[in-house]
Amino acid sequence: MKKTDWYKDAIIYQIYPRSFCDSNGDGLGDIPGIISKLDYLKGLGVNCVWLSPVYDSPQEDNGYDISNYKDIYKPFGTLDDFKVMLNEMHKRGIRLIMDLVVNHTSSEHPWFKSAISDKNSPYRDYYIIKKGKKNGKKPPNNWSGFFAEKAWEKIDDEYYYLHLFAKGQPDLNWENPKVREEVKDILRFWLDMGVDGFRCDVITLISKDQRFKSVFPTLAIAGKQYYVNGPRLHEYLHELNKDVLSNYDCMTVGETVLSSLDDAKLLIQPEREELSMVFNFDHTDTDNFFGAKWFYREFKLTRLKKVVDRWQHGLFNCGWNSLFIENHDQRRCIGRFGTNDKELRYESATMLGATYFMLQGTPFIYQGQEIGMTNGDFTEMADLRDVEVKNTYKLAEKLFFLKPLIKKHMFSLTRDNARTPFQWNNQEFAGFSSVEPWIRVNANKEFINAEQDLKNEKSINKFYRQLIEFRKNNEVIKNGAYTCLNKNNNDVYAYKRKLDDKEVVVISNFKNKIVKEKLIDELSNYKLVISNYSNKSNELQPYETRVYINY
Ligand code: NOJ
């Protein structure tokens, strides 16, 4: 099959299945629910879906813990439902990429069950199982993982297994060629069924430094220098590409935690034949210290510009960017990046939308972002569901932080914020389900919901439709060079995209105040094609955004 770069023209919509649409009244989203909303997605204009995991799983980490890679989690539906969904998507010109979670499996996976119950099991070497120190009393080293826990769990008196995420997510041993063959087999299974690619979960963690050295202790991700971008990462990815991916017209986007621009280049330069794109998280770290979301600091626009400049210039003509401002691990963008989630919610949502959509790369929209959904309205720890926040809360308690303080912090930063049920309408359970869902519906479904938004004169969804329409077949947006026009300005983000003599200029006010912007005076010969106010003066209103063209 001829390989194409279709992903460069894709507008990708991420579905988090358990929170999208529940068709059978069990409080959990499902595949038939997704099928029932495909016309909605078609109306929005997206041409690809990234589906978070739907595989069989005990759901300790909402499906990122897989117990059978070739079957569907029963409450989500069956393989036949999946095939119908894929077919219905393709009929509508929507491609489908799956979530590929192969740094770890679930501890309920038959491979793992066999590996820990029998030292001679053929699956023993599928995992990273090591003898503890001090006659098994201490773990093999002092690494800790991503979910505020030690990275080793005891199997018996002597042995431990490595888990960089929850205990129920044992890491696979990629050093073992059999594991790599299993991964290839999984890829072929779904590609042969017709899926169009994969979002590769924490893919930069798959190769561990085999010395398993201890490090200077830290609270979280101790040992990361030995397991992020490990020694054989590129070799493994190239192998998957050569043996499987290159034979299909598919794409891959790697979730590359803790990776720099230079790391990314090695992963996506086309001639290296590894991945198509990566997700970089530098912009999501513009409101924290040390790249750790729990260490919150106030957002600063110049910090964001620096990051965007680095990636837009860095990958120009040598790789392809992915563009996103939300996903299931991030809090909602409204109220973030200096914006306002109350009375200026429309302005904030549309300003952020236009600002990232006109950059070079493939844009991703996370479910609910297109109607301006906000963070959850949690008030009790019992409202929260995520394993990460629960572990972090326990750790913070142990460290004697003041409870009311940590709770507030947990509520505003938890990943659950992006996982509340999709708000389709203002009914009791927001049209998501006919019963109480697995996680609380936000009370603001009364006025923030898809049905209402599409009726509003100020509709966020319709604004996104405009952005999508504008991007489609637009060579300047696809290939034009990017230049920031006001690097040191902390209120307004202005940038230009230029291809030959055609230009697109984006000007966005990131502040909740009126800002005079002289640049606008220089654009008198340009056409204003998209904006979120009807204003034309050189005084930008709070969170105003404008897209101009000169052709
Ligand atoms: C990244 C996924 O996006 C996140 O939701 C998950 O918890 C971890 N990887 C572990 O799979």
Side-chain angles (χ1 to χ4, degrees), residues 27 373 375-378 383 419-433 435-446 448:
M373 279 180 62
N375 280 344
D377 51 357
F378 308 117
D383 292 339
R419 300 174 178 186
T420 59
F422 192 103
Q423 293 163 206
W424 293 103
N425 58 37
N426 65 1
Q427 288 167 15
E428 188 178 5
F429 303 113
F432 163 77
S433 177
V435 300
E436 183 76 47
W438 69 280
I439 188 170
R440 259 184 61 181
V441 174
N442 194 318
N444 66 19
K445 56 115 173 68
E446 290 303 328
I448 302 178

PDB file of all heavy atoms in Angstrom, residues 27 373 375-378 383 419-433 435-446 448:
ATOM      1  N   GLY A  27     -24.291   4.219  32.647  1.00  0.00           N
ATOM      2  CA  GLY A  27     -23.498   5.299  33.243  1.00  0.00           C
ATOM      3  C   GLY A  27     -22.108   5.447  32.662  1.00  0.00           C
ATOM      4  O   GLY A  27     -21.314   6.289  33.103  1.00  0.00           O
ATOM      5  N   MET A 373     -16.403  23.348  27.256  1.00  0.00           N
ATOM      6  CA  MET A 373     -16.588  22.728  28.581  1.00  0.00           C
ATOM      7  C   MET A 373     -15.485  23.194  29.525  1.00  0.00           C
ATOM      8  O   MET A 373     -14.355  23.450  29.116  1.00  0.00           O
ATOM      9  CB  MET A 373     -16.616  21.195  28.470  1.00  0.00           C
ATOM     10  CG  MET A 373     -17.987  20.680  28.045  1.00  0.00           C
ATOM     11  SD  MET A 373     -18.084  18.872  27.884  1.00  0.00           S
ATOM     12  CE  MET A 373     -17.719  18.326  29.552  1.00  0.00           C
ATOM     13  N   ASN A 375     -13.543  22.946  33.613  1.00  0.00           N
ATOM     14  CA  ASN A 375     -13.122  21.969  34.615  1.00  0.00           C
ATOM     15  C   ASN A 375     -14.313  21.449  35.414  1.00  0.00           C
ATOM     16  O   ASN A 375     -15.338  22.140  35.532  1.00  0.00           O
ATOM     17  CB  ASN A 375     -12.139  22.610  35.596  1.00  0.00           C
ATOM     18  CG  ASN A 375     -10.739  22.667  35.021  1.00  0.00           C
ATOM     19  OD1 ASN A 375     -10.425  21.988  34.045  1.00  0.00           O
ATOM     20  ND2 ASN A 375      -9.896  23.467  35.627  1.00  0.00           N
ATOM     21  N   GLY A 376     -14.157  20.285  35.999  1.00  0.00           N
ATOM     22  CA  GLY A 376     -15.203  19.734  36.859  1.00  0.00           C
ATOM     23  C   GLY A 376     -15.452  20.634  38.068  1.00  0.00           C
ATOM     24  O   GLY A 376     -14.601  21.441  38.435  1.00  0.00           O
ATOM     25  N   ASP A 377     -16.652  20.473  38.669  1.00  0.00           N
ATOM     26  CA  ASP A 377     -16.959  21.303  39.860  1.00  0.00           C
ATOM     27  C   ASP A 377     -16.881  20.433  41.111  1.00  0.00           C
ATOM     28  O   ASP A 377     -17.848  20.279  41.835  1.00  0.00           O
ATOM     29  CB  ASP A 377     -18.324  21.984  39.719  1.00  0.00           C
ATOM     30  CG  ASP A 377     -19.433  20.996  39.350  1.00  0.00           C
ATOM     31  OD1 ASP A 377     -19.134  19.788  39.145  1.00  0.00           O
ATOM     32  OD2 ASP A 377     -20.597  21.407  39.271  1.00  0.00           O
ATOM     33  N   PHE A 378     -15.725  19.849  41.342  1.00  0.00           N
ATOM     34  CA  PHE A 378     -15.563  18.902  42.451  1.00  0.00           C
ATOM     35  C   PHE A 378     -15.457  19.618  43.794  1.00  0.00           C
ATOM     36  O   PHE A 378     -14.813  20.658  43.905  1.00  0.00           O
ATOM     37  CB  PHE A 378     -14.291  18.080  42.249  1.00  0.00           C
ATOM     38  CG  PHE A 378     -14.201  17.443  40.893  1.00  0.00           C
ATOM     39  CD1 PHE A 378     -13.188  17.792  40.009  1.00  0.00           C
ATOM     40  CD2 PHE A 378     -15.143  16.504  40.495  1.00  0.00           C
ATOM     41  CE1 PHE A 378     -13.111  17.204  38.752  1.00  0.00           C
ATOM     42  CE2 PHE A 378     -15.072  15.909  39.233  1.00  0.00           C
ATOM     43  CZ  PHE A 378     -14.055  16.269  38.366  1.00  0.00           C
ATOM     44  N   ASP A 383     -15.580  12.678  45.024  1.00  0.00           N
ATOM     45  CA  ASP A 383     -16.023  12.959  43.638  1.00  0.00           C
ATOM     46  C   ASP A 383     -14.986  12.502  42.624  1.00  0.00           C
ATOM     47  O   ASP A 383     -15.281  12.360  41.445  1.00  0.00           O
ATOM     48  CB  ASP A 383     -16.177  14.471  43.394  1.00  0.00           C
ATOM     49  CG  ASP A 383     -17.314  15.085  44.174  1.00  0.00           C
ATOM     50  OD1 ASP A 383     -18.212  14.324  44.575  1.00  0.00           O
ATOM     51  OD2 ASP A 383     -17.293  16.312  44.367  1.00  0.00           O
ATOM     52  N   ARG A 419     -12.438  14.807  32.326  1.00  0.00           N
ATOM     53  CA  ARG A 419     -13.065  13.502  32.100  1.00  0.00           C
ATOM     54  C   ARG A 419     -14.534  13.468  32.493  1.00  0.00           C
ATOM     55  O   ARG A 419     -15.155  12.395  32.514  1.00  0.00           O
ATOM     56  CB  ARG A 419     -12.282  12.427  32.866  1.00  0.00           C
ATOM     57  CG  ARG A 419     -10.835  12.360  32.400  1.00  0.00           C
ATOM     58  CD  ARG A 419      -9.991  11.415  33.211  1.00  0.00           C
ATOM     59  NE  ARG A 419      -8.629  11.356  32.688  1.00  0.00           N
ATOM     60  CZ  ARG A 419      -7.689  10.537  33.122  1.00  0.00           C
ATOM     61  NH1 ARG A 419      -7.954   9.696  34.098  1.00  0.00           N
ATOM     62  NH2 ARG A 419      -6.487  10.557  32.600  1.00  0.00           N
ATOM     63  N   THR A 420     -15.099  14.607  32.857  1.00  0.00           N
ATOM     64  CA  THR A 420     -16.519  14.615  33.223  1.00  0.00           C
ATOM     65  C   THR A 420     -17.347  14.358  31.960  1.00  0.00           C
ATOM     66  O   THR A 420     -16.885  14.602  30.847  1.00  0.00           O
ATOM     67  CB  THR A 420     -16.919  15.958  33.870  1.00  0.00           C
ATOM     68  OG1 THR A 420     -16.653  17.000  32.932  1.00  0.00           O
ATOM     69  CG2 THR A 420     -16.136  16.221  35.147  1.00  0.00           C
ATOM     70  N   PRO A 421     -18.571  13.847  32.137  1.00  0.00           N
ATOM     71  CA  PRO A 421     -19.362  13.462  30.964  1.00  0.00           C
ATOM     72  C   PRO A 421     -19.574  14.608  29.980  1.00  0.00           C
ATOM     73  O   PRO A 421     -19.796  15.765  30.377  1.00  0.00           O
ATOM     74  CB  PRO A 421     -20.696  13.045  31.584  1.00  0.00           C
ATOM     75  CG  PRO A 421     -20.332  12.586  32.952  1.00  0.00           C
ATOM     76  CD  PRO A 421     -19.225  13.501  33.398  1.00  0.00           C
ATOM     77  N   PHE A 422     -19.535  14.259  28.703  1.00  0.00           N
ATOM     78  CA  PHE A 422     -19.788  15.239  27.651  1.00  0.00           C
ATOM     79  C   PHE A 422     -21.179  15.826  27.872  1.00  0.00           C
ATOM     80  O   PHE A 422     -22.152  15.107  28.093  1.00  0.00           O
ATOM     81  CB  PHE A 422     -19.711  14.565  26.274  1.00  0.00           C
ATOM     82  CG  PHE A 422     -19.680  15.560  25.154  1.00  0.00           C
ATOM     83  CD1 PHE A 422     -18.500  15.861  24.501  1.00  0.00           C
ATOM     84  CD2 PHE A 422     -20.837  16.227  24.754  1.00  0.00           C
ATOM     85  CE1 PHE A 422     -18.466  16.802  23.466  1.00  0.00           C
ATOM     86  CE2 PHE A 422     -20.819  17.165  23.733  1.00  0.00           C
ATOM     87  CZ  PHE A 422     -19.629  17.452  23.083  1.00  0.00           C
ATOM     88  N   GLN A 423     -21.261  17.141  27.758  1.00  0.00           N
ATOM     89  CA  GLN A 423     -22.541  17.813  28.012  1.00  0.00           C
ATOM     90  C   GLN A 423     -23.278  18.043  26.687  1.00  0.00           C
ATOM     91  O   GLN A 423     -23.025  18.995  25.977  1.00  0.00           O
ATOM     92  CB  GLN A 423     -22.270  19.108  28.789  1.00  0.00           C
ATOM     93  CG  GLN A 423     -21.741  18.775  30.190  1.00  0.00           C
ATOM     94  CD  GLN A 423     -21.051  19.903  30.938  1.00  0.00           C
ATOM     95  OE1 GLN A 423     -20.210  19.639  31.793  1.00  0.00           O
ATOM     96  NE2 GLN A 423     -21.392  21.148  30.634  1.00  0.00           N
ATOM     97  N   TRP A 424     -24.179  17.083  26.396  1.00  0.00           N
ATOM     98  CA  TRP A 424     -24.905  17.168  25.126  1.00  0.00           C
ATOM     99  C   TRP A 424     -26.093  18.110  25.224  1.00  0.00           C
ATOM    100  O   TRP A 424     -26.419  18.811  24.286  1.00  0.00           O
ATOM    101  CB  TRP A 424     -25.390  15.770  24.694  1.00  0.00           C
ATOM    102  CG  TRP A 424     -24.254  14.859  24.354  1.00  0.00           C
ATOM    103  CD1 TRP A 424     -23.750  13.846  25.119  1.00  0.00           C
ATOM    104  CD2 TRP A 424     -23.439  14.899  23.170  1.00  0.00           C
ATOM    105  NE1 TRP A 424     -22.679  13.254  24.476  1.00  0.00           N
ATOM    106  CE2 TRP A 424     -22.474  13.881  23.278  1.00  0.00           C
ATOM    107  CE3 TRP A 424     -23.440  15.703  22.022  1.00  0.00           C
ATOM    108  CZ2 TRP A 424     -21.512  13.644  22.291  1.00  0.00           C
ATOM    109  CZ3 TRP A 424     -22.486  15.460  21.041  1.00  0.00           C
ATOM    110  CH2 TRP A 424     -21.537  14.447  21.177  1.00  0.00           C
ATOM    111  N   ASN A 425     -26.779  18.094  26.384  1.00  0.00           N
ATOM    112  CA  ASN A 425     -27.932  18.992  26.564  1.00  0.00           C
ATOM    113  C   ASN A 425     -28.099  19.281  28.057  1.00  0.00           C
ATOM    114  O   ASN A 425     -27.243  18.899  28.853  1.00  0.00           O
ATOM    115  CB  ASN A 425     -29.202  18.383  25.937  1.00  0.00           C
ATOM    116  CG  ASN A 425     -29.525  17.012  26.538  1.00  0.00           C
ATOM    117  OD1 ASN A 425     -29.331  16.791  27.736  1.00  0.00           O
ATOM    118  ND2 ASN A 425     -29.995  16.099  25.712  1.00  0.00           N
ATOM    119  N   ASN A 426     -29.192  19.933  28.437  1.00  0.00           N
ATOM    120  CA  ASN A 426     -29.321  20.365  29.838  1.00  0.00           C
ATOM    121  C   ASN A 426     -30.143  19.401  30.690  1.00  0.00           C
ATOM    122  O   ASN A 426     -30.549  19.728  31.795  1.00  0.00           O
ATOM    123  CB  ASN A 426     -29.900  21.777  29.913  1.00  0.00           C
ATOM    124  CG  ASN A 426     -31.317  21.830  29.380  1.00  0.00           C
ATOM    125  OD1 ASN A 426     -31.863  20.797  28.971  1.00  0.00           O
ATOM    126  ND2 ASN A 426     -31.916  23.010  29.369  1.00  0.00           N
ATOM    127  N   GLN A 427     -30.375  18.187  30.176  1.00  0.00           N
ATOM    128  CA  GLN A 427     -31.151  17.232  30.974  1.00  0.00           C
ATOM    129  C   GLN A 427     -30.363  16.761  32.199  1.00  0.00           C
ATOM    130  O   GLN A 427     -29.177  17.081  32.330  1.00  0.00           O
ATOM    131  CB  GLN A 427     -31.518  16.027  30.109  1.00  0.00           C
ATOM    132  CG  GLN A 427     -32.585  16.376  29.093  1.00  0.00           C
ATOM    133  CD  GLN A 427     -32.730  15.305  28.034  1.00  0.00           C
ATOM    134  OE1 GLN A 427     -32.244  14.188  28.194  1.00  0.00           O
ATOM    135  NE2 GLN A 427     -33.395  15.673  26.952  1.00  0.00           N
ATOM    136  N   GLU A 428     -31.024  15.928  33.023  1.00  0.00           N
ATOM    137  CA  GLU A 428     -30.437  15.587  34.322  1.00  0.00           C
ATOM    138  C   GLU A 428     -28.987  15.105  34.208  1.00  0.00           C
ATOM    139  O   GLU A 428     -28.121  15.554  34.950  1.00  0.00           O
ATOM    140  CB  GLU A 428     -31.289  14.524  35.022  1.00  0.00           C
ATOM    141  CG  GLU A 428     -30.819  14.300  36.451  1.00  0.00           C
ATOM    142  CD  GLU A 428     -31.662  13.280  37.200  1.00  0.00           C
ATOM    143  OE1 GLU A 428     -32.554  12.674  36.579  1.00  0.00           O
ATOM    144  OE2 GLU A 428     -31.381  13.107  38.405  1.00  0.00           O
ATOM    145  N   PHE A 429     -28.738  14.197  33.278  1.00  0.00           N
ATOM    146  CA  PHE A 429     -27.363  13.710  33.135  1.00  0.00           C
ATOM    147  C   PHE A 429     -26.725  14.223  31.844  1.00  0.00           C
ATOM    148  O   PHE A 429     -25.935  13.552  31.194  1.00  0.00           O
ATOM    149  CB  PHE A 429     -27.325  12.180  33.253  1.00  0.00           C
ATOM    150  CG  PHE A 429     -27.913  11.693  34.556  1.00  0.00           C
ATOM    151  CD1 PHE A 429     -29.088  10.955  34.576  1.00  0.00           C
ATOM    152  CD2 PHE A 429     -27.314  12.024  35.770  1.00  0.00           C
ATOM    153  CE1 PHE A 429     -29.644  10.544  35.785  1.00  0.00           C
ATOM    154  CE2 PHE A 429     -27.866  11.615  36.984  1.00  0.00           C
ATOM    155  CZ  PHE A 429     -29.035  10.874  36.990  1.00  0.00           C
ATOM    156  N   ALA A 430     -27.107  15.403  31.495  1.00  0.00           N
ATOM    157  CA  ALA A 430     -26.511  16.150  30.371  1.00  0.00           C
ATOM    158  C   ALA A 430     -26.674  15.454  29.030  1.00  0.00           C
ATOM    159  O   ALA A 430     -25.910  15.704  28.099  1.00  0.00           O
ATOM    160  CB  ALA A 430     -25.027  16.434  30.641  1.00  0.00           C
ATOM    161  N   GLY A 431     -27.650  14.544  28.921  1.00  0.00           N
ATOM    162  CA  GLY A 431     -27.843  13.842  27.652  1.00  0.00           C
ATOM    163  C   GLY A 431     -26.747  12.818  27.405  1.00  0.00           C
ATOM    164  O   GLY A 431     -26.727  12.152  26.373  1.00  0.00           O
ATOM    165  N   PHE A 432     -25.837  12.682  28.380  1.00  0.00           N
ATOM    166  CA  PHE A 432     -24.756  11.702  28.242  1.00  0.00           C
ATOM    167  C   PHE A 432     -25.295  10.310  28.549  1.00  0.00           C
ATOM    168  O   PHE A 432     -24.951   9.330  27.906  1.00  0.00           O
ATOM    169  CB  PHE A 432     -23.613  12.057  29.205  1.00  0.00           C
ATOM    170  CG  PHE A 432     -22.654  10.919  29.454  1.00  0.00           C
ATOM    171  CD1 PHE A 432     -21.702  10.589  28.503  1.00  0.00           C
ATOM    172  CD2 PHE A 432     -22.710  10.174  30.631  1.00  0.00           C
ATOM    173  CE1 PHE A 432     -20.828   9.522  28.707  1.00  0.00           C
ATOM    174  CE2 PHE A 432     -21.839   9.116  30.850  1.00  0.00           C
ATOM    175  CZ  PHE A 432     -20.897   8.791  29.880  1.00  0.00           C
ATOM    176  N   SER A 433     -26.156  10.241  29.548  1.00  0.00           N
ATOM    177  CA  SER A 433     -26.656   8.952  30.016  1.00  0.00           C
ATOM    178  C   SER A 433     -28.046   9.147  30.607  1.00  0.00           C
ATOM    179  O   SER A 433     -28.446  10.267  30.913  1.00  0.00           O
ATOM    180  CB  SER A 433     -25.705   8.422  31.099  1.00  0.00           C
ATOM    181  OG  SER A 433     -26.184   7.211  31.622  1.00  0.00           O
ATOM    182  N   VAL A 435     -28.756   7.490  33.392  1.00  0.00           N
ATOM    183  CA  VAL A 435     -28.549   7.230  34.828  1.00  0.00           C
ATOM    184  C   VAL A 435     -27.339   8.016  35.327  1.00  0.00           C
ATOM    185  O   VAL A 435     -26.588   8.586  34.535  1.00  0.00           O
ATOM    186  CB  VAL A 435     -28.312   5.725  35.111  1.00  0.00           C
ATOM    187  CG1 VAL A 435     -29.495   4.885  34.658  1.00  0.00           C
ATOM    188  CG2 VAL A 435     -27.026   5.245  34.433  1.00  0.00           C
ATOM    189  N   GLU A 436     -27.145   7.999  36.633  1.00  0.00           N
ATOM    190  CA  GLU A 436     -25.985   8.672  37.235  1.00  0.00           C
ATOM    191  C   GLU A 436     -24.687   8.131  36.621  1.00  0.00           C
ATOM    192  O   GLU A 436     -24.388   6.943  36.744  1.00  0.00           O
ATOM    193  CB  GLU A 436     -26.012   8.382  38.745  1.00  0.00           C
ATOM    194  CG  GLU A 436     -24.924   9.065  39.548  1.00  0.00           C
ATOM    195  CD  GLU A 436     -25.197  10.544  39.756  1.00  0.00           C
ATOM    196  OE1 GLU A 436     -26.332  10.896  40.126  1.00  0.00           O
ATOM    197  OE2 GLU A 436     -24.259  11.339  39.503  1.00  0.00           O
ATOM    198  N   PRO A 437     -23.905   8.978  35.971  1.00  0.00           N
ATOM    199  CA  PRO A 437     -22.680   8.488  35.316  1.00  0.00           C
ATOM    200  C   PRO A 437     -21.575   8.111  36.297  1.00  0.00           C
ATOM    201  O   PRO A 437     -21.635   8.442  37.481  1.00  0.00           O
ATOM    202  CB  PRO A 437     -22.233   9.659  34.462  1.00  0.00           C
ATOM    203  CG  PRO A 437     -23.381  10.586  34.407  1.00  0.00           C
ATOM    204  CD  PRO A 437     -24.153  10.371  35.667  1.00  0.00           C
ATOM    205  N   TRP A 438     -20.533   7.487  35.758  1.00  0.00           N
ATOM    206  CA  TRP A 438     -19.406   6.990  36.566  1.00  0.00           C
ATOM    207  C   TRP A 438     -18.676   8.132  37.262  1.00  0.00           C
ATOM    208  O   TRP A 438     -18.017   7.926  38.273  1.00  0.00           O
ATOM    209  CB  TRP A 438     -18.431   6.211  35.681  1.00  0.00           C
ATOM    210  CG  TRP A 438     -17.678   7.063  34.699  1.00  0.00           C
ATOM    211  CD1 TRP A 438     -18.147   7.531  33.506  1.00  0.00           C
ATOM    212  CD2 TRP A 438     -16.355   7.583  34.828  1.00  0.00           C
ATOM    213  NE1 TRP A 438     -17.196   8.312  32.883  1.00  0.00           N
ATOM    214  CE2 TRP A 438     -16.073   8.345  33.678  1.00  0.00           C
ATOM    215  CE3 TRP A 438     -15.354   7.478  35.810  1.00  0.00           C
ATOM    216  CZ2 TRP A 438     -14.853   9.006  33.474  1.00  0.00           C
ATOM    217  CZ3 TRP A 438     -14.148   8.126  35.601  1.00  0.00           C
ATOM    218  CH2 TRP A 438     -13.906   8.885  34.452  1.00  0.00           C
ATOM    219  N   ILE A 439     -18.783   9.330  36.721  1.00  0.00           N
ATOM    220  CA  ILE A 439     -18.183  10.515  37.352  1.00  0.00           C
ATOM    221  C   ILE A 439     -19.191  11.650  37.201  1.00  0.00           C
ATOM    222  O   ILE A 439     -19.943  11.697  36.218  1.00  0.00           O
ATOM    223  CB  ILE A 439     -16.817  10.855  36.700  1.00  0.00           C
ATOM    224  CG1 ILE A 439     -16.078  11.947  37.453  1.00  0.00           C
ATOM    225  CG2 ILE A 439     -16.970  11.239  35.236  1.00  0.00           C
ATOM    226  CD1 ILE A 439     -14.621  12.147  36.994  1.00  0.00           C
ATOM    227  N   ARG A 440     -19.193  12.534  38.180  1.00  0.00           N
ATOM    228  CA  ARG A 440     -20.232  13.577  38.248  1.00  0.00           C
ATOM    229  C   ARG A 440     -20.330  14.464  37.011  1.00  0.00           C
ATOM    230  O   ARG A 440     -19.317  14.922  36.496  1.00  0.00           O
ATOM    231  CB  ARG A 440     -19.906  14.500  39.412  1.00  0.00           C
ATOM    232  CG  ARG A 440     -20.701  14.229  40.631  1.00  0.00           C
ATOM    233  CD  ARG A 440     -20.383  15.236  41.671  1.00  0.00           C
ATOM    234  NE  ARG A 440     -20.710  16.591  41.227  1.00  0.00           N
ATOM    235  CZ  ARG A 440     -20.497  17.656  41.974  1.00  0.00           C
ATOM    236  NH1 ARG A 440     -19.977  17.515  43.171  1.00  0.00           N
ATOM    237  NH2 ARG A 440     -20.811  18.843  41.540  1.00  0.00           N
ATOM    238  N   VAL A 441     -21.550  14.741  36.606  1.00  0.00           N
ATOM    239  CA  VAL A 441     -21.783  15.723  35.542  1.00  0.00           C
ATOM    240  C   VAL A 441     -21.587  17.108  36.151  1.00  0.00           C
ATOM    241  O   VAL A 441     -22.014  17.367  37.280  1.00  0.00           O
ATOM    242  CB  VAL A 441     -23.236  15.609  35.033  1.00  0.00           C
ATOM    243  CG1 VAL A 441     -23.549  16.713  34.031  1.00  0.00           C
ATOM    244  CG2 VAL A 441     -23.486  14.248  34.427  1.00  0.00           C
ATOM    245  N   ASN A 442     -20.967  18.001  35.420  1.00  0.00           N
ATOM    246  CA  ASN A 442     -20.783  19.371  35.896  1.00  0.00           C
ATOM    247  C   ASN A 442     -22.142  20.095  35.918  1.00  0.00           C
ATOM    248  O   ASN A 442     -22.905  20.029  34.942  1.00  0.00           O
ATOM    249  CB  ASN A 442     -19.823  20.098  34.946  1.00  0.00           C
ATOM    250  CG  ASN A 442     -19.303  21.387  35.534  1.00  0.00           C
ATOM    251  OD1 ASN A 442     -20.050  22.142  36.152  1.00  0.00           O
ATOM    252  ND2 ASN A 442     -18.022  21.639  35.349  1.00  0.00           N
ATOM    253  N   ALA A 443     -22.425  20.773  37.033  1.00  0.00           N
ATOM    254  CA  ALA A 443     -23.710  21.454  37.162  1.00  0.00           C
ATOM    255  C   ALA A 443     -23.900  22.513  36.070  1.00  0.00           C
ATOM    256  O   ALA A 443     -25.032  22.883  35.740  1.00  0.00           O
ATOM    257  CB  ALA A 443     -23.815  22.094  38.544  1.00  0.00           C
ATOM    258  N   ASN A 444     -22.824  22.972  35.485  1.00  0.00           N
ATOM    259  CA  ASN A 444     -22.993  24.009  34.452  1.00  0.00           C
ATOM    260  C   ASN A 444     -23.507  23.466  33.118  1.00  0.00           C
ATOM    261  O   ASN A 444     -23.637  24.204  32.157  1.00  0.00           O
ATOM    262  CB  ASN A 444     -21.722  24.854  34.287  1.00  0.00           C
ATOM    263  CG  ASN A 444     -20.532  24.072  33.737  1.00  0.00           C
ATOM    264  OD1 ASN A 444     -20.694  23.016  33.150  1.00  0.00           O
ATOM    265  ND2 ASN A 444     -19.346  24.622  33.932  1.00  0.00           N
ATOM    266  N   LYS A 445     -23.856  22.160  33.099  1.00  0.00           N
ATOM    267  CA  LYS A 445     -24.519  21.602  31.900  1.00  0.00           C
ATOM    268  C   LYS A 445     -25.829  22.363  31.607  1.00  0.00           C
ATOM    269  O   LYS A 445     -26.328  22.350  30.488  1.00  0.00           O
ATOM    270  CB  LYS A 445     -24.780  20.107  32.072  1.00  0.00           C
ATOM    271  CG  LYS A 445     -25.597  19.744  33.302  1.00  0.00           C
ATOM    272  CD  LYS A 445     -26.904  19.156  32.903  1.00  0.00           C
ATOM    273  CE  LYS A 445     -27.744  18.603  33.994  1.00  0.00           C
ATOM    274  NZ  LYS A 445     -28.370  19.332  35.014  1.00  0.00           N
ATOM    275  N   GLU A 446     -26.377  23.038  32.628  1.00  0.00           N
ATOM    276  CA  GLU A 446     -27.600  23.832  32.425  1.00  0.00           C
ATOM    277  C   GLU A 446     -27.441  24.819  31.273  1.00  0.00           C
ATOM    278  O   GLU A 446     -28.355  25.048  30.504  1.00  0.00           O
ATOM    279  CB  GLU A 446     -27.944  24.629  33.698  1.00  0.00           C
ATOM    280  CG  GLU A 446     -28.415  23.796  34.862  1.00  0.00           C
ATOM    281  CD  GLU A 446     -29.638  22.958  34.524  1.00  0.00           C
ATOM    282  OE1 GLU A 446     -30.464  23.410  33.703  1.00  0.00           O
ATOM    283  OE2 GLU A 446     -29.747  21.840  35.078  1.00  0.00           O
ATOM    284  N   ILE A 448     -23.957  25.170  29.659  1.00  0.00           N
ATOM    285  CA  ILE A 448     -22.870  24.761  28.757  1.00  0.00           C
ATOM    286  C   ILE A 448     -23.205  23.371  28.243  1.00  0.00           C
ATOM    287  O   ILE A 448     -23.054  22.371  28.963  1.00  0.00           O
ATOM    288  CB  ILE A 448     -21.500  24.731  29.475  1.00  0.00           C
ATOM    289  CG1 ILE A 448     -21.175  26.091  30.074  1.00  0.00           C
ATOM    290  CG2 ILE A 448     -20.400  24.294  28.502  1.00  0.00           C
ATOM    291  CD1 ILE A 448     -19.861  26.137  30.847  1.00  0.00           C
TER     292      ILE A 448
END
